[in-house]
Amino acid sequence: MTAAAEPKAAAGLKREMGLMSAINVIISVMIGSGIFVSPTAALRYSGSIGFCLVVWTVCGGISLLGALCFAELGTVVPRSGAEYAYLIEAFKKSHSFWGPLPSFICAWVYVMILRPAEIAVIILTFAEYSILPFRHLLGLEHMPAADLHLLIKLIGILGLGIITYINLSSVKLYVTINNVFGFCKVFACLVVIFGGIYQLAIGNTENLAGGFQGTNTSPGHIALAFYNGLWAYDGWSSVTTITEEIKKPEVNIPRSIMIAVPIITGLYVFMNLAYMTVLSMGEMIASEAVGIDFGDRALGSFSFLIPLGVALATFGCALSIQFGVTRLCYVASQEGQMLEPLSYIHVRRATPAPAVAMQGILALAFILVGNIETLIEFASFLIWFFYGAAVVALLALRRSQPNVHRPYKVPLIVPYITLAVSVFLSIVPVISDPSPKYLFAVGFILSGVLVYTPFVYYKVRPRWINKLTFMIQVLFEVVPSSSKLD
């Protein structure tokens, strides 16, 4: 082997994740703090216990349909990056300027704002709930609010440092830790479910007696109930963000989706049913943390398992979101739509170290700045917009590449249903709350166009880029990925 060939063999993502690991990635991203802390909006807008459970069940089915569209895309376009990869494949050659623009805007929103802001919020939630089981031992009840807020922020920064270190170190370490956390968060969900079963067994069914009584028939309320339910299921596309690290992706991506999404649907429906055994509708809607209130009433001395479950769920969720978005950085950089060093790979660890470090720095900035929820609100409605764009890419690829082998092919009605849902979820928040924050979202997209035009389309390259690239290579011990060397 020549000296020139040696880095090429090491420079690339490696397929180290099997079916169980792929399932755990989906579980890790989909199950965050939401189902433990605030599964109340769907109940409030549905108006009844019975219809609320129907909403959670149907939302799980709709999420599965969307995930199956991505399962086909993940086998036709065997690249990491999910929506980004599908948009670049479907439209890049259609027009020299407009063709690559949708994929760049997708990367711009996800990489620069949405994902690092989500990680910051989730890791702060982890910090808050990780100290709850020890609040008496540490005397936190008597700590001034400002000091408690600072403590939570410091723990959050420590947690961010840990997940960044894990994702810098190796994919195998990530897989091992993510599998453990995935098992623990499912166990926490089952604790809630079996707690509810026990309540039913002892005859605690009063809160369930209402059934469908009081169901809202207003189309607006029904739409908002499904809107909030579907947001809770977000994350079903996560396995396609890391396609290049999945063993036999043409088999394991569809299988992982078909296993994980129904499991999560079952957990969500039965957890809501469990909450309803001890909490009335009014109590659930007014609760700031439904899972905590449930644990206090139903689990007795084991109530500490709920905040512990939230801490485990949020840590694993933040870990997997960061893992996925760094792969989007990696692919976008390979396409020349991000700084080139973001596609460089560590010579020994086979991780995109510069992309991981950048995401860690961005998330840290959001933690320090604060008011992150507003950033997520003005950008997060775009998630389903990009899901819809990916479905359009699926339909476009079926037309432009009809003879490409498709190991899995979703029935044609499914992408149309998913597209209709994505349009609905992109429009509903704007109509229901016509806030100026959506103007900020448009402004951020336009700022992306301003970056895209000189640096991506016209390929303007400042002189300092070469020095920055050299510094990154030396600091992180990285080399260009295999596709750059070919």
Side-chain angles (χ1 to χ4, degrees):
M1 181 180 291
T2 65
E6 288 178 0
K8 183 175 180 178
L13 300 177
K14 297 181 179 179
R15 299 192 184 277
E16 300 186 71
M17 305 177 70
L19 176 60
M20 186 56 65
S21 298
I23 291 170
N24 264 316
V25 168
I26 300 174
I27 289 174
S28 289
V29 177
M30 289 185 73
I31 303 180
S33 63
I35 193 62
F36 294 99
V37 178
S38 56
T40 57
L43 177 60
R44 180 170 64 254
Y45 289 115
S46 61
S48 69
I49 300 294
F51 189 55
C52 178
L53 295 175
V54 169
V55 167
W56 281 101
T57 305
V58 173
C59 286
I62 292 173
S63 299
L64 180 60
L65 296 181
L68 292 177
C69 292
F70 275 63
E72 176 180 330
L73 284 163
T75 58
V76 175
V77 184
R79 298 185 71 185
S80 297
E83 302 98 292
Y84 175 86
Y86 311 144
L87 290 170
I88 198 76
E89 177 69 20
F91 303 120
K92 182 172 71 171
K93 296 179 181 178
S94 62
H95 189 277
S96 60
F97 181 86
W98 298 107
L101 183 58
S103 57
F104 176 80
I105 295 299
C106 177
W108 178 251
V109 171
Y110 279 169
V111 171
M112 301 306 296
I113 287 284
L114 191 54
R115 295 312 186 200
E118 282 182 344
I119 292 166
V121 169
I122 293 167
I123 209 68
L124 287 173
T125 305
F126 155 77
E128 181 179 355
Y129 282 87
S130 65
I131 61 176
L132 271 183
F134 312 103
R135 60 188 183 277
H136 298 301
L137 181 64
L138 300 175
L140 299 180
E141 300 95 332
H142 309 296
M143 181 178 287
D147 293 343
L148 183 60
H149 180 72
L150 178 60
L151 175 63
I152 289 171
K153 185 167 284 192
L154 290 174
I155 294 174
I157 292 172
L158 176 62
L160 175 63
I162 292 172
I163 69 169
T164 304
Y165 172 78
I166 292 168
N167 285 328
L168 279 170
S169 296
S170 75
V171 175
K172 287 184 178 179
L173 179 61
Y174 161 78
V175 168
T176 301
I177 292 174
N178 194 53
N179 287 347
V180 171
F181 274 77
F183 171 82
C184 290
K185 67 170 65 179
V186 170
F187 176 76
C189 293
L190 292 175
V191 167
V192 173
I193 291 171
F194 282 107
I197 291 173
Y198 174 76
Q199 294 297 321
L200 291 174
I202 63 176
N204 201 350
T205 59
E206 181 181 348
N207 293 330
L208 301 174
F212 288 86
Q213 184 177 355
T215 297
N216 278 322
T217 56
S218 162
H221 282 90
I222 292 172
L224 288 170
F226 279 99
Y227 169 73
N228 285 280
L230 284 166
W231 275 120
Y233 280 96
D234 186 46
W236 41 259
S237 66
S238 51
V239 72
T240 56
T241 310
I242 56 172
T243 298
E244 293 174 52
E245 288 159 288
I246 303 292
K247 298 175 183 176
K248 298 181 180 178
E250 69 282 358
V251 175
N252 285 330
I253 286 179
R255 283 183 181 175
S256 64
I257 287 170
M258 293 177 190
I259 293 171
V261 177
I263 286 175
I264 293 168
T265 302
L267 291 174
Y268 279 10
V269 171
F270 285 107
M271 285 179 75
N272 274 277
L273 182 62
Y275 294 148
M276 294 167 184
T277 61
V278 295
L279 298 170
S280 67
M281 273 192 64
E283 288 172 329
M284 281 189 66
I285 292 172
S287 175
E288 294 184 3
V290 173
I292 302 296
D293 291 343
F294 171 84
D296 291 339
R297 294 195 188 184
L299 300 180
S301 58
F302 292 97
S303 61
F304 73 91
L305 290 174
I306 301 301
L308 182 61
V310 175
L312 293 171
T314 48
F315 185 89
C317 183
L319 177 67
S320 290
I321 289 176
Q322 188 190 73
F323 185 88
V325 74
T326 57
R327 274 54 185 176
L328 195 161
C329 290
Y330 170 83
V331 175
S333 175
Q334 287 182 323
E335 291 291 336
Q337 294 194 346
M338 290 278 169
L339 289 173
E340 182 179 323
L342 295 178
S343 67
Y344 287 7
I345 297 294
H346 195 280
V347 292
R348 296 185 304 277
R349 298 168 180 168
T351 60
V356 175
M358 185 190 78
Q359 284 300 304
I361 292 169
L362 287 174
L364 175 62
F366 285 123
I367 288 176
L368 296 176
V369 169
N371 296 322
I372 313 163
E373 289 83 355
T374 304
L375 289 172
I376 291 180
E377 285 176 5
F378 88 70
S380 61
F381 83 101
L382 292 171
I383 290 177
W384 274 92
F385 174 83
F386 290 124
Y387 285 164
V391 174
V392 173
L394 183 152
L395 298 173
L397 287 170
R398 282 201 179 181
R399 181 180 293 271
S400 63
Q401 301 180 18
N403 299 320
V404 170
H405 175 59
R406 288 169 166 81
Y408 172 78
K409 190 173 183 179
V410 72
L412 192 58
I413 186 64
V414 173
Y416 284 112
I417 293 173
T418 305
L419 183 59
V421 170
S422 67
V423 171
F424 164 74
L425 288 176
S426 300
I427 293 174
V428 164
V430 180
I431 294 176
S432 62
D433 179 23
S435 167
K437 65 190 175 189
Y438 299 116
L439 295 177
F440 290 117
V442 174
F444 187 72
I445 289 173
L446 292 177
S447 71
V449 177
L450 293 178
V451 173
Y452 169 82
T453 303
F455 298 113
V456 178
Y457 182 68
Y458 287 109
K459 296 180 172 55
V460 174
R461 185 183 174 91
R463 293 181 179 179
W464 53 264
I465 289 292
N466 289 332
K467 293 182 179 179
L468 177 64
T469 300
F470 176 76
M471 286 176 56
I472 290 174
Q473 285 190 274
V474 172
L475 181 62
F476 291 101
E477 297 182 82
V478 292
V479 293
S481 58
S482 299
S483 62
K484 291 288 184 183
L485 290 163
D486 288 338

